[in-house]
Amino acid sequence: MEIKYGAVDLAQLLIKSGADVNIPTKDQISIIESLHEGPSLIIAGAGSGKTETMSARVIWLVANGLVTPDQVLGLTFTRKAAGELTVRIRKRLRQLKSAGALPDPNIELSANVSTYHSYAGKVLSEHALRIGIDVSGEPLGEAAVWQLASNIVNNYSGDMSAIEHGPDYIVKKLLSLIGQIGEHGVELSVLEEISREWVSRFESIPSGDNEAVRKAKRALQERLQMLPLVKEFEEYRVKNGVSTFDDQMAWAAKLMRSEFATEIAKSERAKYKIVLLDEYQDTSYSQVRFLSGLFGSNDSLGSHRTTAVGDPNQSIYGWRSASAGTISAFPSEFAVNAKTERF
């Protein structure tokens, strides 16, 4: 395999073309020019230039004929970030094309960059019927979801004695609980059993002046009284064939635990030779299950060339089941021999 351009060579060509780029550092060069065939984890602190490094890696791979832009899948959290990365890669490739540095001047210049949820929705649209889920309709918007939850709360006649707040608070807590159940992939019956077990444990502790014990017990009692509302919400959605935006990732994770997982993974790997996972520290339980099912170690497919970039000190979505531990678990989720770089 002949490597025609180094990371520094391409940076210099881009600078000559008028691009506002810096010459990569030694650490960045090792990432940009990596020929590692399996999963890689990059621990990158704030201000380390990880987004620029990731786009430079795509450009290096394309310029050296290792992949075409359409064989690259980049995932991040926001539409804004996905759009910015798409524009950056296209602009740099266009500049290299003008400099005659692309192996094929006629190749499409856009990589496949989207949000984690959008990509999950795309995979679901192609395969969800295999597990009996119809995702042909548009997910309910935030206002419609709130209205549905509000109707359920206001018409509920069950015991709410453990909840000391008004309807708006209950609606907010209900939607939060539904979201967390979906992200964690927890069955309602299991959650109820565990909650009752812990209430029983707390009741056996002489609480005295221990406010922490009393607070934990109240929170669990509140959750138990809200579970019938969750069940009613779920039953309504199933009966009426409606879904929420958050359902997509939970269903995508379920899809990759089905008997069709290997077939779907094979199909997606054939499309994308390189997978880049941005802000990996903020991925949730369901997102990790989905992504590792597609691109992680597979008995018949092996591992895929997947690069995750993140910083455990910047995890901001703990309420959604994201945690700093997600990064440390990457090797076991994707491959025991995953390569880790720090910069």
Side-chain angles (χ1 to χ4, degrees):
M1 181 186 301
E2 180 183 357
I3 301 299
K4 185 175 181 180
Y5 300 103
V8 173
D9 300 325
L10 293 174
Q12 290 172 338
L13 280 173
L14 288 168
I15 291 171
K16 288 180 181 179
S17 300
D20 182 20
V21 300
N22 296 317
I23 299 298
T25 66
K26 181 180 178 181
D27 289 336
Q28 291 170 336
I29 290 172
S30 69
I31 293 166
I32 295 168
E33 298 181 356
S34 174
L35 291 173
H36 180 60
E37 292 292 331
S40 299
L41 172 62
I42 300 171
I43 307 299
S48 58
K50 55 182 179 290
T51 302
E52 180 62 36
T53 302
M54 287 297 95
S55 61
R57 174 156 175 74
V58 172
I59 290 162
W60 180 82
L61 289 164
V62 173
N64 285 292
L66 301 176
V67 299
T68 55
D70 63 318
Q71 293 173 330
V72 176
L73 174 65
L75 300 179
T76 188
F77 275 94
T78 67
R79 291 189 182 93
K80 179 180 179 182
E84 289 175 350
L85 185 56
T86 299
V87 170
R88 183 179 306 195
I89 291 172
R90 185 190 298 125
K91 182 178 180 180
R92 301 283 163 78
L93 289 175
R94 188 183 301 118
Q95 290 168 328
L96 289 180
K97 177 180 178 180
S98 299
L102 295 185
D104 180 0
N106 297 315
I107 60 173
E108 171 61 44
L109 299 182
S110 293
N112 297 282
V113 182
S114 69
T115 65
Y116 287 101
H117 272 87
S118 293
Y119 177 62
K122 179 176 178 293
V123 174
L124 271 176
S125 69
E126 297 175 7
H127 302 285
L129 286 177
R130 294 184 176 207
I131 56 173
I133 296 174
D134 183 4
V135 294
S136 58
E138 286 292 320
L140 294 176
E142 289 186 13
V145 171
W146 180 276
Q147 186 60 56
L148 171 57
S150 180
N151 289 341
I152 289 173
V153 169
N154 287 309
N155 291 311
Y156 183 66
S157 58
D159 184 15
M160 302 289 282
S161 59
I163 304 176
E164 301 175 353
H165 303 276
D168 284 350
Y169 169 87
I170 299 174
V171 171
K172 183 178 179 180
K173 293 290 288 187
L174 172 61
L175 293 178
S176 175
L177 182 57
I178 290 170
Q180 291 184 56
I181 288 172
E183 288 289 356
H184 284 83
V186 178
E187 296 292 335
L188 276 182
S189 59
V190 175
L191 181 59
E192 181 176 3
E193 180 181 350
I194 293 174
S195 298
R196 291 194 185 282
E197 178 185 342
W198 276 100
V199 167
S200 177
R201 290 187 183 187
F202 284 128
E203 286 177 341
S204 67
I205 300 174
S207 59
D209 294 327
N210 193 334
E211 176 59 24
V213 171
R214 292 196 297 272
K215 183 176 180 181
K217 180 181 173 182
R218 286 197 302 269
L220 287 166
Q221 290 171 329
E222 178 181 281
R223 176 192 292 172
L224 283 168
Q225 290 191 351
M226 295 194 71
L227 289 182
L229 296 172
V230 175
K231 184 178 181 180
E232 189 173 336
F233 187 94
E234 296 300 320
E235 288 175 345
Y236 175 89
R237 292 191 305 149
V238 171
K239 180 180 178 181
N240 293 276
V242 297
S243 64
T244 67
F245 184 68
D246 289 334
D247 286 331
Q248 290 186 335
M249 194 57 69
W251 288 344
K254 180 179 180 180
L255 182 66
M256 295 315 298
R257 294 195 301 271
S258 73
E259 61 185 295
F260 308 103
T262 296
E263 182 182 346
I264 297 168
K266 185 177 181 180
S267 173
E268 291 303 297
R269 293 180 188 208
K271 297 176 187 176
Y272 308 115
K273 289 185 177 181
I274 299 291
V275 179
L276 305 175
L277 307 177
D278 193 25
E279 305 291 357
Y280 188 74
Q281 77 280 347
D282 286 327
T283 50
S284 69
Y285 176 88
S286 291
Q287 288 168 334
V288 172
R289 296 284 79 74
F290 170 61
L291 295 167
S292 62
L294 284 173
F295 305 115
S297 184
N298 183 290
D299 290 340
S300 60
L301 301 178
S303 297
H304 199 58
R305 191 185 288 181
T306 305
T307 299
V309 184
D311 178 4
N313 295 320
Q314 295 186 64
S315 182
I316 61 174
Y317 292 124
W319 54 270
R320 195 184 56 197
S321 79
S323 72
T326 299
I327 287 185
S328 62
F330 179 85
S332 61
E333 296 287 354
F334 284 81
V336 293
N337 64 340
K339 182 180 180 182
T340 301
E341 298 280 359
R342 295 177 180 269
F343 77 103

